[in-house]
Amino acid sequence: CKRMSRLKTPSDNSLASLENLEQTIVSGFGSLESQQDFRTPEFEEFNGKPDSLYFNDGQRRIDFVLVYEDESRKETNKKGSNEKQRRKRQAYESNLICDGLQLEATRSLVDDKLVFVKVHAPWEVLCTYAEIMHIKLPLKPNDLKTRSSAFDNFNWFTKLLQVDESIIKPEQEFFTAPFEKNRMNDFYIQDRDTFFNPATRSRIVYFILSRIMYQVRDNVKKFGINKLVSSGIYKAAFPLHDCNFSSPSEDLSCPNERYLLYREWAHPRSIYKKQPLDLIRKYYGEKIGIYFAWLGYYTQMLLLAAIVGVACFLYGYFTQNNCTWSKEVCDPDIGGQIIMCPQCDKECPFWSLNVTCESSKKLCIFDSFGTLVFAVFMGVWVTLFLEFWKRRQAELEYEWDTVELQQEEQARPEYEARCTHVVINEITQEEERVPFTTWGKCIRVTLCASAVFFWILLIIASVIGIIVYRLSVFVIFSVNLRKISNGTDPIQKYVTPQMATSITASLISFIIIMILNTIYEKVAIMITNFELPRTQTDYENSLTMKMFLFQFVNYYSSCFYIAFFKGKFVGYPGDPVYWLGKYRNEECDPGGCLFELTTQLIIIMGGKAIWNNIQEVLLPWVMNVFGRCHTVSGAEKIIPRWEQDYHLQPMGKLGLFYEYLEMIIQFGFVTLFVASFPLAPLLALVNNILEIRVDAWKLTTQYRRMVPEKAQDIGAWQPIMQGIAILAVVTNAMIIAFTSDMIPRLVYYWSFSIPPYGDHPDYTMEGYINISLSIFNTADFKSRVKESPYAGSKYDTCRYRDFRYPPGHQQEYKHNIYYWHVIAAKLAFIIVMEHIIYSVKFFISYAIPDVSKSTKSKIKREKYLTQKLLHENHLKDMTKNIGVIAEKMIGAAVENSLRPKSD
């Protein structure tokens, strides 16, 4: 410990400094388990102040809390195991004290087996590690004037949406620079107790806790609070909330930031207000702040998309009575006289076209001209959203001082612990340690990629299972629904075999999606841990790509099947296509599969939102209520803050990763398949308004305070959204071309003068149903269909959905000329729509810079003023030192001149 106290200020090389710290500890303790003279914290009695954030002396602030269960009071026979855990913990705490941290232990007032170790970082430790971590700290107040907002003329309106500044006061802005102990006088230090705010103190202490060793055996280092918690040596480790969320603290020095966040952000009455992003960032750190900034901006942009989507939906709703082809389907003299071919081989009967009357009416709402307009609009909207978000993100980087954050990021403790191979750095030509060689890295990457590929194949196998279910259960619904209805209309009117199959398959698909989600989350974390990324950002980006790739296949595969595969490869009644030689391919309704795709989206989006809210709200609340049942009734007023926070739920190692993932999956639904469901942005808007407040309520009331982390942007989620935006143009164009029936109807509408479907006198849709259904001779059924009791019926012909020549034609049952006209029109539509939207997207991306001109100017000016300030202070110090030296020299010369000369 004395050797640690003599350690000099760390140099600029952070990793080298940390290695010096570790080597000093190792040389001082040797094999930590063999030592007997551990320095452990003294036990202190609780001082009776439930809101206190200080040690019992009332002077030293609690920066972190460690919780463990006293082995001597456990009722267990595993004495050897308990003794090992106790010695590891004692070694760890002794090393914490040697590293300069101060500890104080207190027993629980409710469960005397629990011990709370309070951690305090003194001024010297904070300064030392602030330099190691390159933390930017204030130099002087920033007096740069910000430009006036474009909405200044609407202050009377925007004031209603803003947070009351008399309650949450704006933070003072500062010029900042990376902290250096030898230039401490340059920094704006008015009070040592407040120079490092609580969030920064917690970051520094967590940095230390993550790198202190507790065991060295066979030259293998074991260190870090995370490993100690996961192995059960400690029960928990967390920073403290500053007060109770429902009432302000009795301590007048407490800022009550948790209470203010609950009142002005998480409370339902603040649902219409803007978020206090600066206070969120101050209390929880930039990483949490950037998430809520992104979610709020995404929700604001959804408002425009929702308005246009509702307008397109209303257009389809009010014009559905003018849908000529739907009228023909419902007309007893047209649709009632058209007999459709059986859709399976043995059990399915012939059926009348007008049984699909209700579904055709609903289809008219979504399959209209408004859908085409909305699909084009959403292609432009998503580009505007991404480009404007980049500008907003750049503004937050400037305001939150994270412009040069990438230079500050340190290696993960798990990575540093595995650095055993020495290599030569290509840039510095110096030796450095890495966890594995180039070949070892290639092997790890190959194994990880193989594991990810295997699990994706497993998901695809589950999708194939759902398809087989749809094919097999369709026959059952076709027979049983008609038996139940017994020829009556009400059941067949609202529940067709196609609809029953689609709804049940969607529900089963949703259940399988949730089950696979739970399994793959654990697998993805294991694969990423094995991959061993260097920094926390690299770790999260790697995990993000794996999880999103899985979720993409898991959530969207069923929608892709319905949109682009179902009903596309079915053959014709005389020669149907079979899956695995057994299951006959599904067919779409005469109006197409668009309405079925809409049903699938509603079930998955709605079910996902409900399930997530249950997980995010109900489960933490129930767990906390259950935990409080073990405490003394009404004892919360005398229970200290650290014990109250211990009974809250831990946030988890990945923080808000799952919240990001949930929103990105929703973003995919809103953009990829929006042509089939214009109300998707409205549902997403309502969900997100609630999601913001639910996440806020969850963080402020149900979870322990997270360790504040720095973040410059939203990480890998940005390129993922850009990829989704590019893919969305293709999927929506293909949905309109191949899933909906819009292109065939437009070809029919504009081809009144082209034989053989040019017998209508003017532009009209009359007769479209008749030409869109081909004729089949029932005598041409295959043997397996002839075995059906319905096959030898009174019908000589039946109709099916395709464009083929009729029986008796020279090319009977082959595609007719209209089919090829439609295919050409579909391909032309896709090419034209994609080129138009991509051209607009690229123009918008070029026209809107990622960083606004004003933000660039502010960043450059602040950097210039900061450098000037540091340079001037350095010159002042030099001038002062020169003046002192000159005075000493003059004084010495005068003294020598006055000294009497010797003989």
Side-chain angles (χ1 to χ4, degrees):
C1 293
K2 292 181 179 179
R3 297 183 63 180
M4 290 298 302
S5 65
R6 294 195 301 268
L7 190 67
K8 295 181 180 180
T9 301
S11 62
D12 293 335
N13 190 334
S14 302
L15 289 178
S17 302
L18 291 174
E19 289 179 0
N20 291 337
L21 290 174
E22 294 170 0
Q23 292 171 2
T24 305
I25 294 173
V26 173
S27 62
F29 281 91
S31 178
L32 297 179
E33 282 191 333
S34 65
Q35 300 297 321
Q36 302 294 331
D37 54 345
F38 292 125
R39 298 186 63 184
T40 57
E42 297 294 334
F43 280 86
E44 299 287 345
E45 295 294 331
F46 173 49
N47 58 16
K49 298 179 180 179
D51 290 331
S52 176
L53 302 177
Y54 295 88
F55 280 17
N56 275 3
D57 58 14
Q59 301 297 322
R60 293 172 291 173
R61 184 183 179 88
I62 301 173
D63 299 316
F64 228 87
V65 175
L66 309 179
V67 187
Y68 69 89
E69 196 169 5
D70 191 351
E71 292 82 0
S72 63
R73 305 197 180 193
K74 285 184 180 179
E75 298 178 1
T76 178
N77 295 325
K78 299 180 180 180
K79 294 183 179 180
S81 175
N82 291 341
E83 181 63 20
K84 288 182 179 179
Q85 289 189 351
R86 183 181 65 83
R87 295 192 63 80
K88 288 179 181 179
R89 187 178 61 253
Q90 288 179 343
Y92 182 73
E93 292 176 358
S94 183
N95 283 346
L96 290 179
I97 296 174
C98 286
D99 204 36
L101 297 180
Q102 298 176 2
L103 309 182
E104 181 181 89
T106 303
R107 291 197 180 274
S108 170
L109 297 180
V110 177
D111 185 356
D112 60 356
K113 293 192 294 293
L114 287 179
V115 177
F116 295 88
V117 179
K118 295 166 281 186
V119 183
H120 169 76
W123 171 257
E124 286 297 326
V125 173
L126 293 173
C127 293
T128 299
Y129 279 92
E131 183 173 0
I132 292 176
M133 298 169 67
H134 303 292
I135 295 178
K136 289 185 176 182
L137 292 169
L139 289 172
K140 64 175 293 187
N142 186 343
D143 54 356
L144 292 180
K145 295 183 179 179
T146 57
R147 302 197 177 197
S148 59
S149 173
F151 299 98
D152 284 345
N153 295 328
F154 299 94
N155 280 341
W156 60 270
F157 175 73
T158 57
K159 190 175 181 180
L160 297 174
L161 306 178
Q162 298 288 349
V163 176
D164 191 350
E165 292 187 356
S166 64
I167 299 175
I168 299 180
K169 298 180 180 179
E171 292 293 320
Q172 185 178 5
E173 298 293 332
F174 290 92
F175 293 109
T176 61
F179 185 79
E180 297 179 25
K181 287 182 70 175
N182 58 359
R183 306 186 72 170
M184 191 178 298
N185 293 333
D186 295 341
F187 290 87
Y188 191 74
I189 305 176
Q190 290 189 323
D191 185 354
R192 288 190 173 189
D193 293 334
T194 59
F195 180 65
F196 295 97
N197 63 35
T200 304
R201 296 176 69 98
S202 298
R203 273 185 62 208
I204 293 174
V205 172
Y206 181 72
F207 183 88
I208 300 172
L209 295 176
S210 300
R211 286 160 173 79
I212 292 296
M213 288 182 293
Y214 59 87
Q215 187 180 33
V216 178
R217 177 175 294 175
D218 298 330
N219 292 325
V220 177
K221 305 173 186 177
K222 293 185 178 181
F223 59 88
I225 187 61
N226 292 332
K227 286 187 178 180
L228 291 171
V229 172
S230 61
S231 61
I233 296 176
Y234 284 100
K235 304 279 288 183
F238 53 89
L240 290 179
H241 283 295
D242 65 351
C243 66
N244 202 328
F245 70 88
S246 58
S247 59
S249 172
E250 296 178 359
D251 186 354
L252 298 179
S253 62
C254 179
N256 296 309
E257 291 173 350
R258 185 190 186 194
Y259 167 73
L260 292 177
L261 285 172
Y262 174 74
R263 176 181 170 182
E264 299 296 324
W265 179 45
H267 199 279
R269 69 185 176 193
S270 301
I271 194 169
Y272 64 93
K273 290 185 177 181
K274 291 185 177 182
Q275 302 181 83
L277 293 177
D278 289 334
L279 184 58
I280 297 171
R281 169 246 181 173
K282 179 183 177 183
Y283 191 74
Y284 288 110
E286 285 78 4
K287 197 167 189 178
I288 302 293
I290 198 71
Y291 164 75
F292 283 103
W294 171 79
L295 181 56
Y297 197 82
Y298 171 45
T299 304
Q300 290 177 17
M301 291 295 291
L302 276 176
L303 179 61
L304 177 61
I307 292 173
V308 179
V310 170
C312 294
F313 174 80
L314 293 177
Y315 170 82
Y317 180 80
F318 289 115
T319 59
Q320 64 175 324
N321 295 328
N322 300 327
C323 190
T324 305
W325 65 271
S326 177
K327 290 181 180 179
E328 291 184 351
V329 170
C330 298
D331 191 343
D333 297 328
I334 301 177
Q337 300 301 317
I338 296 177
I339 303 302
M340 303 296 293
C341 297
Q343 294 182 318
C344 58
D345 291 338
K346 296 183 179 180
E347 301 294 335
C348 298
F350 295 90
W351 52 286
S352 177
L353 178 61
N354 63 353
V355 300
T356 62
C357 176
E358 290 299 320
S359 61
S360 67
K361 289 181 179 179
K362 295 182 180 72
L363 186 60
C364 286
I365 299 175
F366 300 101
D367 194 1
S368 64
F369 179 73
T371 301
L372 173 60
V373 174
F374 188 57
V376 175
F377 166 80
M378 288 300 293
V380 177
W381 173 88
V382 69
T383 305
L384 290 173
F385 162 62
L386 293 177
E387 293 303 317
F388 282 123
W389 164 246
K390 290 178 185 177
R391 291 169 67 90
R392 175 59 178 154
Q393 188 170 257
E395 293 175 1
L396 291 175
E397 288 179 20
Y398 167 73
E399 294 173 5
W400 293 353
D401 206 13
T402 59
V403 176
E404 298 177 351
L405 178 64
Q406 294 299 327
Q407 300 176 5
E408 304 175 12
E409 193 164 16
Q410 306 291 336
R412 297 167 60 239
E414 294 83 357
Y415 180 90
E416 293 176 354
R418 301 292 296 273
C419 290
T420 57
H421 298 275
V422 179
V423 297
I424 302 298
N425 189 297
E426 295 180 356
I427 300 175
T428 62
Q429 294 298 313
E430 296 178 354
E431 290 186 352
E432 65 177 10
R433 292 182 177 272
V434 294
F436 32 72
T437 62
T438 303
W439 281 108
K441 184 175 182 180
C442 292
I443 292 173
R444 283 175 178 264
V445 171
T446 303
L447 292 176
C448 292
S450 302
V452 171
F453 183 69
F454 168 77
W455 280 92
I456 290 177
L457 289 179
L458 183 63
I459 302 168
I460 295 175
S462 70
V463 174
I464 294 174
I466 294 294
I467 295 173
V468 172
Y469 164 82
R470 298 173 70 104
L471 299 177
S472 58
V473 82
F474 176 77
V475 179
I476 300 174
F477 282 124
S478 298
V479 176
N480 293 335
L481 285 177
R482 286 176 173 84
K483 286 181 180 179
I484 294 173
S485 63
N486 197 21
T488 58
D489 186 59
I491 293 181
Q492 291 186 5
K493 181 178 180 181
Y494 296 102
V495 183
T496 63
Q498 292 93 338
M499 182 180 295
T501 302
S502 177
I503 292 175
T504 56
S506 298
L507 292 174
I508 294 174
S509 177
F510 173 73
I511 294 173
I512 292 177
I513 285 171
M514 293 296 106
I515 294 173
L516 290 176
N517 263 352
T518 304
I519 298 173
Y520 188 78
E521 285 174 6
K522 303 181 186 307
V523 173
I525 294 174
M526 290 173 59
I527 295 173
T528 309
N529 289 338
F530 178 75
E531 187 179 340
L532 199 65
R534 180 180 179 274
T535 65
Q536 185 64 24
T537 299
D538 294 337
Y539 180 89
E540 292 178 358
N541 289 345
S542 178
L543 181 62
T544 296
M545 297 306 297
K546 294 181 181 64
M547 285 294 294
F548 177 75
L549 187 61
F550 166 80
Q551 299 279 18
F552 185 90
V553 179
N554 198 21
Y555 276 104
Y556 302 144
S557 55
S558 58
C559 294
F560 273 101
Y561 165 73
I562 295 173
F564 306 124
F565 295 97
K566 182 181 176 182
K568 305 300 185 296
F569 312 100
V570 297
Y572 63 97
D575 187 20
V577 177
Y578 293 91
W579 265 73
L580 307 176
K582 180 179 180 181
Y583 300 102
R584 181 171 168 177
N585 257 355
E586 283 187 284
E587 298 181 26
C588 294
D589 281 338
C593 289
L594 188 67
F595 185 68
E596 187 173 347
L597 178 59
T598 303
T599 304
Q600 180 84 359
L601 283 173
I602 293 173
I603 290 176
I604 293 182
M605 283 189 69
K608 182 174 177 294
I610 294 172
W611 177 256
N612 287 334
N613 285 329
I614 290 175
Q615 281 189 315
E616 294 179 7
V617 179
L618 191 59
L619 288 181
W621 181 77
V622 170
M623 294 295 292
N624 286 334
V625 170
F626 180 76
R628 284 195 292 267
C629 289
H630 291 78
T631 62
V632 180
S633 177
E636 186 174 352
K637 292 183 179 180
I638 61 171
I639 292 179
R641 168 56 42 205
W642 50 87
E643 192 160 354
Q644 294 180 40
D645 286 4
Y646 171 71
H647 291 293
L648 297 176
Q649 295 302 303
M651 190 62 192
K653 296 180 180 179
L654 299 178
L656 292 175
F657 173 83
Y658 296 108
E659 276 70 18
Y660 269 117
L661 185 62
E662 175 189 350
M663 290 296 103
I664 295 298
I665 294 298
Q666 181 206 87
F667 179 77
F669 281 122
V670 168
T671 54
L672 291 174
F673 307 101
V674 74
S676 65
F677 189 40
L679 294 181
L682 177 63
L683 295 183
L685 174 65
V686 175
N687 176 78
N688 289 5
I689 292 174
L690 298 176
E691 180 76 18
I692 291 174
R693 305 304 164 175
V694 166
D695 287 345
W697 174 83
K698 177 178 66 177
L699 285 179
T700 55
T701 66
Q702 303 301 311
Y703 283 86
R704 297 171 189 159
R705 187 174 182 177
M706 297 175 61
V707 178
E709 296 182 60
K710 287 279 186 179
Q712 191 175 28
D713 49 37
I714 61 175
W717 302 112
Q718 182 76 26
I720 287 175
M721 287 194 297
Q722 291 173 339
I724 291 175
I726 294 173
L727 181 61
V729 178
V730 180
T731 57
N732 285 302
M734 293 183 67
I735 286 173
I736 294 174
F738 293 105
T739 309
S740 78
D741 219 24
M742 182 179 296
I743 302 301
R745 293 200 302 268
L746 289 175
V747 171
Y748 180 82
Y749 182 82
W750 289 102
S751 59
F752 67 94
S753 61
I754 304 176
Y757 39 86
D759 55 350
H760 48 287
D762 202 352
Y763 297 100
T764 180
M765 288 303 299
E766 294 179 3
Y768 171 74
I769 287 297
N770 183 58
I771 201 170
S772 66
L773 300 175
S774 299
I775 302 174
F776 180 77
N777 191 341
T778 57
D780 296 332
F781 275 124
K782 281 190 173 182
S783 58
R784 71 166 70 187
V785 181
K786 289 182 179 180
E787 297 173 3
S788 170
Y790 305 101
S793 65
K794 59 182 179 180
Y795 303 114
D796 296 328
T797 61
C798 60
R799 309 294 289 272
Y800 61 99
R801 187 177 185 264
D802 209 342
F803 302 109
R804 295 177 183 267
Y805 289 112
H809 194 275
Q810 292 181 353
Q811 301 181 8
E812 66 175 1
Y813 303 135
K814 292 185 178 179
H815 289 118
N816 57 26
I817 190 64
Y818 185 65
Y819 171 83
W820 300 110
H821 287 171
V822 169
I823 290 295
K826 288 180 177 181
L827 294 177
F829 170 80
I830 292 175
I831 293 173
V832 171
M833 180 177 174
E834 285 182 359
H835 279 67
I836 290 176
I837 296 180
Y838 280 140
S839 299
V840 174
K841 286 169 69 72
F842 292 143
F843 173 77
I844 292 174
S845 299
Y846 176 78
I848 303 176
D850 293 348
V851 183
S852 65
K853 187 176 180 180
S854 61
T855 303
K856 286 182 179 178
S857 300
K858 291 177 183 177
I859 293 173
K860 291 179 180 179
R861 176 154 177 76
E862 181 168 333
K863 190 172 183 179
Y864 164 75
L865 292 176
T866 300
Q867 292 176 346
K868 182 180 178 182
L869 178 64
L870 291 173
H871 183 64
E872 289 177 351
N873 289 338
H874 184 60
L875 288 178
K876 288 180 181 178
D877 292 340
M878 289 182 63
T879 303
K880 183 178 179 181
N881 292 335
I882 291 173
V884 172
I885 294 173
E887 288 180 1
K888 290 182 178 179
M889 293 177 65
I890 293 172
V894 171
E895 184 177 351
N896 290 333
S897 64
L898 296 178
R899 186 177 299 170
K901 295 182 180 180
S902 61
D903 293 334

